[in-house]
Amino acid sequence: MSGEAGNSALKREVGLVQLTFYGTGTILGAGIFVVIGEVLGEAGGLAPLAYLLAAVVALTTALSYSEMAARVPTAGGPVDYVERAFGLRWLGSLAGWALIVANVVSAATIITGFVAYLSSFIAVSDWLATILVALAVVGVAAAGMKESAWLMTATTLIGIGTLLVVLWALRDGFVVAPQAIAAAPARIDGSAGAALLGGAFLAIYSFIGFGDMAQAAEEVRDVKRVLPRAMLLSLAVVVLFYLSVSAALVGVGELEELAAAQAPLVLAAEREGWPALPIALASLAVIVNGALTQVIASSRLLFDAGRDGRGAPATLGRLSATTGTPLAATLTVGGIVLGLALLVPLKQLATATGFAILVVFIGVNASLIVFKRREQPDDVPDVPILVPWIGAFVCSGALIGQLALYLA
């Protein structure tokens, strides 16, 4: 077909530093600048514990991902993990489509949060801003993985610097946070346990970016060594920031106001006498990272589905001769993301993402259990088999609990 590359091999151009910033940027972006308000609204003063609980769920699965990504370094990620583990093509396809849904919905969530931030300090049409942001994200994703990774390295550095400024502004709250967290259960109406679990389910969304790194496997140099290390480095950085920032917010108090704010970190810093505009602008730079990686990840999955005949048209499984990227898949994903961002509220988007991603996490952990029982290659990380068992158990529990709360 004219304009399409004659093969389907992606270029290996990304190293450890770029991939670590790529993962850190996408995990931090929406989770700490957007969804943290929703977590505060659900868990109140227990928000840091909600993030800690979500981190436990994420860590076990991240370790499983780190070994599976080295064993099966493909753009399909969990699609190929599940199929090769259980020998069932339909099961791999189910995991793939679940992950495509999760990533597409997540991208829409982040764009919605970006526009909410923007609207908090600039009078702009939400529809116009959503369309422009979506077009910009899709344009960068179409340009190439190397270009996207370099852009995200720069914006992630800006985001980390911004979070350090916010933590300094909220340092008094951070000091008194332990007492505020200890007193929180008595201040929450109804069951503190339900509030904690509800917050944790929302917070799970904040950690899904490490899975997106697996979809970059075919574009990473020395993938068996680099990808596992980058995943764990990214997760360590973001857990530290989630716990620190959420604790500082609980310490400064007035959580109802922060939970209702479109830009909770900007508001918290402004209340401490810091200028809002520079923090808001810097926040926007890192928030958009998440949307970019979600579009890249879902387009790679859709590309893999088209390439392997998993229910997607073959044209989606071809690379553009001009960009060397899955252009048709990227544009398709971009159109769906734009529609969701324009029409669906933020909290519903985050909840839907949580459901889909937990199903995929269970599949990844189960796949590693099967692989480890077969053999343990010397050239991949050797995660103790107890880890995927714990991961499968906690993800199943989280999924059941989330369904129970949703249906209650």
Side-chain angles (χ1 to χ4, degrees):
M1 189 173 183
S2 178
E4 302 294 340
N7 59 65
S8 56
L10 295 163
K11 298 178 182 177
R12 295 194 180 277
E13 300 179 307
V14 180
L16 178 62
V17 173
Q18 288 172 291
L19 189 61
T20 300
F21 278 108
Y22 178 85
T24 302
T26 186
I27 302 170
L28 274 180
I32 203 160
F33 288 105
V34 179
V35 179
I36 196 167
E38 302 287 348
V39 176
L40 287 170
E42 191 73 30
L46 296 177
L49 299 182
Y51 274 109
L52 184 60
L53 185 58
V56 171
V57 175
L59 177 60
T60 52
T61 301
L63 289 169
S64 295
Y65 255 107
S66 71
E67 181 169 340
M68 284 305 308
R71 284 175 177 264
V72 188
T74 66
V79 180
D80 295 318
Y81 306 165
V82 172
E83 180 175 332
R84 296 188 191 186
F86 298 100
L88 298 172
R89 183 176 175 82
W90 68 266
L91 192 59
S93 297
L94 179 63
W97 283 105
L99 196 53
I100 289 171
V101 169
N103 286 329
V104 167
V105 174
S106 178
T109 305
I110 295 166
I111 289 174
T112 301
F114 181 99
V115 172
Y117 252 78
L118 185 65
S119 299
S120 69
F121 63 94
I122 295 177
V124 63
S125 164
D126 285 355
W127 276 61
L128 177 60
T130 299
I131 292 170
L132 292 177
V133 172
L135 290 175
V137 166
V138 172
V140 175
M145 181 66 188
K146 184 178 181 180
E147 292 79 3
S148 299
W150 275 117
L151 174 65
M152 289 187 61
T153 298
T155 54
T156 300
L157 285 171
I158 293 172
I160 289 174
T162 303
L163 291 175
L164 291 174
V165 169
V166 170
L167 283 171
W168 178 254
L170 306 181
R171 59 192 181 280
D172 292 339
F174 186 79
V175 171
V176 301
Q179 297 95 307
I181 295 169
R187 299 173 182 167
I188 296 176
D189 294 334
S191 169
L196 176 60
L197 290 176
F201 294 148
L202 284 172
I204 286 171
Y205 166 80
S206 304
F207 290 95
I208 68 171
F210 68 81
D212 300 329
M213 298 169 75
Q215 272 73 72
E218 289 186 30
E219 296 161 272
V220 176
R221 297 191 300 268
D222 193 8
V223 63
K224 291 187 177 183
R225 182 183 67 87
V226 168
L227 186 53
R229 292 183 182 183
M231 280 186 175
L232 297 181
L233 284 171
S234 296
L235 193 61
V237 171
V238 299
V239 168
L240 179 62
F241 275 114
Y242 281 142
L243 295 180
S244 300
V245 173
S246 61
L249 291 174
V250 169
V252 299
E254 300 184 42
L255 298 185
E256 295 82 2
E257 184 182 10
L258 291 174
Q262 292 179 319
L265 296 191
V266 176
L267 175 61
E270 189 177 25
R271 290 193 319 202
E272 299 298 319
W274 287 70
L277 186 58
I279 295 174
L281 290 173
S283 301
L284 289 172
V286 73
I287 288 171
V288 79
N289 280 352
L292 176 57
T293 53
Q294 300 299 323
V295 168
I296 290 172
S298 50
S299 66
R300 269 43 175 185
L301 284 163
L302 196 57
F303 160 75
D304 188 69
R307 181 178 60 179
D308 295 346
R310 296 180 182 275
T315 187
L316 298 179
R318 297 177 185 147
L319 299 178
S320 166
T322 302
T323 65
T325 61
L327 187 58
T330 303
L331 295 176
T332 300
V333 165
I336 298 170
V337 166
L338 177 59
L340 291 172
L342 289 172
L343 300 174
V344 183
L346 173 63
K347 189 171 182 178
Q348 290 182 21
L349 287 170
T351 301
T353 304
F355 279 124
I357 206 66
L358 283 170
V359 171
V360 174
F361 282 1
I362 293 168
V364 171
N365 284 297
S367 298
L368 182 57
I369 293 169
V370 173
F371 269 88
K372 291 184 80 69
R373 286 180 168 176
R374 291 177 186 166
E375 61 174 345
Q376 182 60 52
D378 294 332
D379 60 345
V380 302
D382 186 6
V383 174
I385 195 168
L386 183 61
V387 170
W389 276 110
I390 294 173
F393 177 78
V394 296
C395 288
S396 297
L399 181 61
I400 293 169
Q402 190 166 2
L403 285 170
L405 285 177
Y406 182 77
L407 297 173

